[in-house]
Each structure stands twice: as C-alpha cells, then as structure tokens.
Amino acid sequence: MTTAVRAKGAPRTGVDWFLLVMRVGLIAFIVIGLLGFVAQQIDPTNAWATWRHGDEGAARLSWAQFQGLVVTGLSQGAMYGLIALGYSMVYGVLGFINFAHGEVFMIAAFTGFIMSTKFDQAGWWDSGAFIPAMLFTIVVATIVATIVAVVMERVAYRPLRGSPRLIPLITSIGVSFFLQNAVILLFGPGAKGYAPFPDWLDKDRINIWQIGESDTGVPEYLLSVENKKLLVIVVAAISMAGLWYFVERTKTGKAMRAVAEDKEIASLMGIDVDRTIVTTFAVGGAMAGIAGILWGILFKSVIATTGFLPGIKAFTAAVVGGVGNLGGAMAGGVSLGGAEALAPLMVLDPWGIEGPSQLRDAVVFTLLILVLLVKPTGLFGERLSSEDRA
Amino acid sequence: MSDTTDKGTPILEFRNINTHYGAVHILKDVNLAIYPGEMVSLLGGNASGKSTTLKTLLGMVTPTTGEVVLDGEVVNDKPTSYRVERGITMVPENRRLFKRLSVLENLQLGAYLRNDKAGIAEDLERIYTMFPRVKERANQKSGTLSGGEQQMVAMGRALMSRPRVLLMDEPSMGLAPMLVQTNFELIQQIHQEGIAIFMVEQNANMALSIADRGWVLQTGKVVLDDTAENLLANPELRKSYLGEA
Ligand SMILES: Nc1ncnc2c1ncn2[C@@H]1O[C@H](COP(=O)(O)OP(=O)(O)OP(=O)(O)O)[C@@H](O)[C@H]1O
Ligand SMILES: [Mg+2]
C-alpha cells in the first residue's frame, strides 16, 4: 500500500517525524494564511498585514474580484474534472495511469482549432451560423479524441495486457511523447490561435443583481459571469451528469464497474472484458475531447504541449479525489480549480508573498503533496483492493 | 466404473484434457462427463487441480490439448460468454462477489447475457423468495454482507443466468457448521428443479451423501470415477478423504 501512515504500534522513525513536520507545517501554513486573509479583509493595516506587507498594509479583496476568482476556478476545475475522469476510469479497469491521456485532450483542442479556422474561412464562425458550427466542432473533436484513445488502447496497451503495471505506465509516457511530436510534425511547434469567437460568447457577461459601484463608477454585481465561463461550466456539468448516468445506470456501465473490480468473474458473467476496456477508453477519450474544446473556448489557443500541464493537474485531481473513484475525480477537479484560483490571494498573499498569482501551479502540486501526506487514498478514495495495487 | 448408459448426450465433457499454467502441468489427461440433471462431485486434496478443472470447463483457462465439449460441440476456442449463454455457470471459490456493487447489481450481472426483462424480473423474485435476507439487503454494497449472506448472493447470481449446469467451487468453505447443512439442502433444492450440479468439495462425506457420482482428482489425474455409493464405501477414499485410519 502506498501509505504515508505509520503502522499501528511501530516506533516512529526519522522519516515519520519528517512526514509529521511536513503535515503539520503545511496545514499550519494554510490555516495561518487563511486567518491572515480574514484579518486583512477586516482591517488591511492590522499588525500581521503590516508585518508581511509593509506599512501601507495589505490590499482588500473586493467581492467582484472574489466571485470572479470563484467562477474562473470553477470553469477550469470543471475542465480538469472532465480530463480526470479518463485517468480515473482507465486506472479503475487496468490499474495503471495513462499519461498519454493529456495528449488526447490536446489533440481535441487542436481539432477545435482546425475546425474553427475552416468554419471561419467559410464565413460561419462570426455569423448566425456560429452555434451549429460550434456544436459540430464539439462533436468532431469528441469523435477524434475517442478514436485516438481507442487506437491507443488497441496499439499500445492491449499487447501489454497481463504484464506488470509499470510497463503500460512507461509505455504511456512514450505514447505521450509520440503524440506530441506527431502534432509538431503535422502542425509545427508554434501556438495556434483559434478564429476569434463572437463577442457575445467571448466578451459579454451575465450580470445578476447590482449591489453597488466601485470608486471609479463601475457597477458591481452580486454575480457577474463571463458567458464563455458559464458555457464551460454548463457543458462540463452536462457531460459529467451524462457520464454518471452511463456508469451508474446503464448495463454497460455496470459491466464496466464489474470489470474494474474482477475481470475473471466479469467474464464469468458473460461480459466481454476486452470490449468493456475499449468502451472505457472511448468514454474517457470523449470526456477529454469535450474538455479540449472547453480549453479552446477559455484560452483560444493551442500548442503541442497544451496537454501537459492540464493533464498533470487532472491527474492530480484524480489522486485528490481518490483514483478510480469517478465522483472523486469530478470533485477533485473542481476543488483543484478552485484552490488554484483562490489560494494565491487567500493563502499566499496574506503571507506577503510577491506575485502570488504566478504560483498557481505550485498551489496545485502542494495540494497533491498535502493529500498524499494526510490521506493517501484521496479524499473520497476507498482502500484499494488487495488485487496487487501498490 | 459409473453407469453412463442411456443418459443421452452429456451437457459437458472433457476429452483427454491437459491444462498447463506456464510450464506447470496441472490437469493430466482428464476425461469426464456431466449429464443433464445429475449431481456429481469432484473430490481432491489441495492443489490437485479442482478449481482448474472448473475454469477449464468454462473457458476461463485454455487447455493445452484435448477437447472441451458442450452439448456435443467442441468449444475450446469459444469464449466464456458463449458457454454461459448455453447454460453453464459457476459459483466461484470464495464467492467472488463484486464487493463495490450492490447486491441487486450483482444479481443483475448474473443475467447479463439475457434480454428477457419479464423472465429476469421473475427469477429475481424467485431468488428473493428463496433468500428473504438477500431481498432485505438488495441495495447494500455486497462487500458489507456476512459470509453466509454472500454465499446466498453468489448462488442467486449464478441462478440468474438460468443455468442447466451449475458448477460450484467449495460452496461450504468458510461457513459455520450449521450453515453448511442448510447450504447442502439448498443445493439439493436447486438440483430438484432440474439443474445439473457439478460440485467441488473438500467435505467428501457431505458431498457424496447427496451426489449421484463422483470423481477423485490427485495431482491433476482422475484416480477414481464411480457412483457416490461406491466411493463412500471405498476404503482408500475413506482413508485419504474421510480421515479414517
Ligand atoms: N493462475 C495460476 N497461475 C499459476 N499457477 C496456478 C494458477 N492457478 C492455480 N495454479 C496452481 O495450479 C495448481 C492447482 O490449482 P487449483 O486451484 O486448481 O487447485 P485446487 O484443487 O482447486 O486446490 P484448493 O483445494 O486449494 O482450492 C496449484 O498448484 C496452483 O498453485
Ligand atoms: Mg480450488
């Protein structure tokens, strides 16, 4: 078992003390940061704030800023959650982490780029035909991602079925490099910009309930959400609900859960194990495909390495939620996105750390370390089965 | 030798089966046949190849040579699902429920290959009547059940496929002595519904007392093949399996 938790009754070794100090230290850092945040919201020139920030004290976070961060966190977190599902499902049925999954996401984002430029040339993109063009783009990207995931399983992983899990794991890193370089070969190493989205999607916002005005006369709202982020959250939520229904309520989903638990007995039930594994890759690929388009909507550009960081973060989300647990992957993604958006200003800034927003990636990986230190099975993780799962 | 005349075609048959795990030779030239509606028992010590026999019958393990025959058809290259569809199933050793799935989902998976909704609902009701305890626990994760309850679910799951032959791998393992008795009565009850039973047991006395015929396996070889009555009277068997001097 991968557990940082000491066996009961065993004496503490140096390593145990180190882990204990890490655990306590990290949690204290976060708690003090949060307390400092509350204090500087009440009085930006309190003793702690002037100690950390100098005499003029800390900057208060306005409601508008705060809710903006929450929405940003939710939209990116939802995207991480969608990708995380693929990691988690494949781990569930095959017991290894498919590190090439981030590349499936990247290829979908690339497909979105190609489709958007084609539609733009045809004059559909910035016109009344945008919505059908967008829907079509989502469908095509999802199909492409599904195909990539299925081919990957067939070519790279199926021949390795039954070998120790380290082998497909390492293969997946190879597959990841292969796909990245294939994309560079086809499209070049530069960043590709999507055709500009219509303003109503990219720039406009939905404002709910004006609560006041800022000093410069800009109205402030209880909720002010950019349409594109709202769209991302809605699409992700619908996809997750669809996946949940598929896994929990359909016969194929039930077969998938059975295969994840015991392949031999699943085959005794008459389930075609290989086909179920293919379905798992396909569904995970489809989710990554949708996430790829959501990435395009949010960031409007894609590059061959686009899959790397979101992929690693989604993997982190899967671990945070408990690998193999689908609800956990979704929750892990959303909490990770939220933490990434909020922690720089709510934990790091009160400590007086300069440019905290540059440290978003550090926040994610610190969170990963924290989860591994405190609850290695993930927040919602069940104890892994005895079926040779290190 | 057992009397196999006028029983018709066997449902299941081994013809000179040899099974290996890697280089290790497990089953050695095994021949056996199970006829419709009978109750047969496979006895043998630990690691003699009993579970391997059942897995080979079902196609979960592929024999190196020999033929597995189902209703007169050689099915060596047919997958497990093909055989399950044609009426064989198994209650595996240690029950092997899907622990993270609910009791009801386990039972539904037993009927995975069936499409007759009405029939499935009917069989589910029948199993609930047979095991009221299972009905009470239908929505509970099966991993939370007691060993005895899990045994009921495992039997129920197997019956949900409407088998003609039910293979059972040590069904009384891990049950309290009182439950073992109930369990054997249950097996008899299932048998009386016309389902052929092929039972692997360590408890030779109990198994032979309800079986028609039996085989004894020793390091992968069939060393005895006789009626249950004769086997029970066999001094050699009494010595090695019934612990008599
Ligand atoms: N998957 C496998 N790979 C390699 N060897 C195996 C495998 N399964 C079983 N064996 C070996 O094959 C031999 C026969 O095993 P089998 O499970 O058929 O015995 P058994 O008669 O059912 O024993 P028991 O009464 O203990 O259940 C054993 O020596 C076992 O270690
Ligand atoms: Mg056995």
Side-chain angles (χ1 to χ4, degrees):
Chain A
M1 277 243 327
T2 41
T3 168
V5 180
R6 189 172 50 100
K8 274 212 171 61
R12 281 186 195 280
T13 64
V15 174
D16 291 321
W17 283 111
F18 175 74
L19 291 175
L20 186 69
V21 169
M22 289 278 290
R23 253 175 252 154
V24 173
L26 264 176
I27 290 170
F29 180 83
I30 292 168
V31 170
I32 293 170
L34 285 172
L35 289 175
F37 174 75
V38 173
Q40 74 188 28
Q41 285 302 98
I42 296 166
D43 174 13
T45 53
N46 68 53
W48 170 271
T50 48
W51 176 47
R52 301 307 312 168
H53 292 265
D55 286 339
E56 70 275 31
R60 246 198 205 121
L61 195 64
S62 73
W63 171 254
Q65 285 171 308
F66 177 76
Q67 65 96 28
L69 291 176
V70 170
V71 172
T72 303
L74 277 181
S75 58
Q76 289 193 40
M79 189 180 73
Y80 297 151
L82 278 183
I83 311 173
L85 290 168
Y87 284 104
S88 222
M89 288 198 299
V90 167
Y91 184 87
V93 298
L94 289 178
F96 79 94
I97 297 292
N98 174 18
F99 278 110
H101 187 60
E103 267 51 61
V104 176
F105 159 79
M106 177 271 290
I107 287 172
F110 247 96
T111 310
F113 150 73
I114 296 167
M115 300 286 291
S116 81
T117 41
K118 293 278 180 248
F119 277 126
D120 196 37
Q121 284 159 9
W124 285 33
W125 200 243
D126 205 359
S127 71
F130 173 75
I131 291 179
M134 187 73 220
L135 285 176
F136 190 63
T137 303
I138 294 185
V139 170
V140 171
T142 308
I143 292 173
V144 169
T146 307
I147 292 172
V148 171
V150 167
V151 171
M152 180 157 58
E153 189 275 335
R154 190 68 193 81
V155 174
Y157 303 137
R158 195 178 302 178
L160 302 174
R161 195 79 41 80
S163 50
R165 286 169 309 140
L166 196 57
I167 292 174
L169 182 90
I170 290 175
T171 305
S172 77
I173 296 174
V175 172
S176 166
F177 280 119
F178 172 81
L179 291 175
Q180 267 185 35
N181 285 290
V183 167
I184 291 176
L185 193 71
L186 288 173
F187 301 101
K192 307 285 177 213
Y194 273 54
F197 289 98
D199 279 352
W200 65 260
L201 176 64
D202 197 38
K203 302 240 162 45
D204 293 352
R205 309 170 148 264
I206 288 180
N207 297 315
I208 298 168
W209 200 357
Q210 185 167 356
I211 49 170
E213 277 181 5
S214 75
D215 307 336
T216 50
V218 182
E220 280 190 351
Y221 299 92
L222 181 70
L223 264 180
S224 170
V225 187
E226 293 157 273
N227 287 347
K228 62 175 177 186
K229 290 184 181 162
L230 189 65
L231 178 74
V232 166
I233 293 170
V234 169
V235 170
I238 293 172
S239 314
M240 287 178 182
L243 182 89
W244 178 87
Y245 181 85
F246 173 74
V247 172
E248 294 293 326
R249 288 284 177 273
T250 67
K251 197 171 172 179
T252 314
K254 211 181 296 161
M256 199 185 260
R257 284 180 289 139
V259 168
E261 203 172 321
D262 190 334
K263 288 182 193 47
E264 198 179 33
I265 300 303
S267 79
L268 176 63
M269 300 294 110
I271 296 168
D272 184 336
V273 173
D274 275 339
R275 213 181 61 197
T276 307
I277 291 172
V278 171
T279 309
T280 307
F281 272 85
V283 174
M287 293 292 138
I290 294 168
I293 292 298
L294 299 185
W295 168 276
I297 292 173
L298 285 177
F299 301 105
K300 294 172 280 192
S301 109
V302 60
I303 185 167
T305 50
T306 288
F308 180 69
L309 256 184
I312 295 285
K313 285 180 185 172
F315 161 64
T316 306
V319 175
V320 167
V323 205
N325 177 320
L326 298 189
M330 301 181 201
V334 172
S335 23
L336 204 70
E340 186 187 46
L342 292 173
L345 288 175
M346 290 178 63
V347 177
L348 302 182
D349 181 63
W351 277 97
I353 292 168
E354 298 284 339
S357 302
Q358 312 285 320
L359 295 172
R360 324 178 63 176
D361 299 342
V363 167
V364 170
F365 299 115
T366 309
L367 206 66
L368 173 64
I369 293 171
L370 187 69
V371 168
L372 291 178
L373 281 172
V374 176
K375 197 165 182 296
T377 52
L379 298 182
F380 309 95
E382 300 165 44
R383 205 154 254 250
L384 298 176
S385 73
S386 55
E387 200 186 294
D388 166 44
R389 299 217 164 149
Chain B
M1 279 289 121
S2 64
D3 170 36
T4 54
T5 47
D6 70 83
K7 283 186 189 167
T9 332
I11 307 181
L12 265 179
E13 213 180 331
F14 265 5
R15 293 183 190 150
N16 292 315
I17 283 289
N18 284 279
T19 298
H20 292 75
Y21 286 122
V24 190
H25 198 172
I26 307 290
L27 298 185
K28 296 159 189 158
D29 284 320
V30 176
N31 284 291
L32 35 94
I34 302 152
Y35 291 86
E38 65 174 357
M39 162 111 67
V40 285
S41 188
L42 182 65
L43 308 173
N46 286 118
S48 57
K50 305 183 298 295
S51 298
T52 307
T53 303
L54 299 189
K55 287 180 181 177
T56 311
L57 279 169
L58 270 158
M60 297 157 88
V61 168
T62 317
T64 14
T65 61
E67 290 174 335
V68 183
V69 184
L70 168 57
D71 293 323
E73 178 197 6
V74 178
V75 291
N76 282 35
D77 55 354
K78 295 282 199 290
T80 305
S81 56
Y82 180 89
R83 308 179 199 201
V84 176
E85 228 169 350
R86 271 149 200 81
I88 320 174
T89 194
M90 172 166 78
V91 178
E93 197 168 8
N94 296 320
R95 315 179 231 297
R96 302 267 291 272
L97 295 182
F98 299 107
K99 295 196 175 62
R100 294 200 290 258
L101 271 58
S102 74
V103 168
L104 177 61
E105 286 174 325
N106 269 277
L107 295 173
Q108 288 167 336
L109 279 170
Y112 183 79
L113 290 172
R114 293 173 58 185
N115 290 313
D116 55 324
K117 273 205 162 133
I120 294 174
E122 195 181 294
D123 284 356
L124 194 61
E125 256 339 288
R126 213 164 50 97
I127 283 157
Y128 282 163
T129 331
M130 203 188 269
F131 312 109
R133 264 304 249 294
V134 170
K135 186 173 188 175
E136 279 168 39
R137 307 252 188 268
N139 293 312
Q140 207 166 311
K141 285 204 174 154
S142 73
T144 62
L145 300 188
S146 79
E149 290 165 341
Q150 291 194 18
Q151 175 66 23
M152 298 178 201
V153 179
M155 289 237 207
R157 183 176 68 178
L159 291 175
M160 285 301 287
S161 72
R162 284 224 176 142
R164 286 182 296 147
V165 192
L166 182 57
L167 313 183
M168 297 211 199
D169 200 344
E170 309 206 22
S172 52
M173 193 202 286
L175 295 185
M178 224 178 69
L179 273 180
V180 172
Q181 186 56 45
T182 331
N183 199 36
F184 271 100
E185 281 161 16
L186 207 78
I187 294 169
Q188 274 178 300
Q189 188 189 329
I190 293 168
H191 178 229
Q192 272 149 23
E193 291 178 19
I195 299 172
I197 306 245
F198 184 39
M199 183 170 42
V200 163
E201 257 303 333
Q202 302 269 7
N203 193 334
N205 223 347
M206 201 76 125
L208 289 175
S209 69
I210 62 169
D212 304 319
R213 292 188 298 130
W215 290 284
V216 175
L217 209 55
Q218 216 166 58
T219 58
K221 274 202 185 99
V222 176
V223 291
L224 286 170
D225 169 1
D226 212 335
T227 63
E229 217 174 317
N230 288 350
L231 283 175
L232 268 174
N234 186 310
E236 217 179 308
L237 184 94
R238 297 195 73 82
K239 203 164 91 187
S240 39
Y241 294 102
L242 304 179
E244 289 178 11

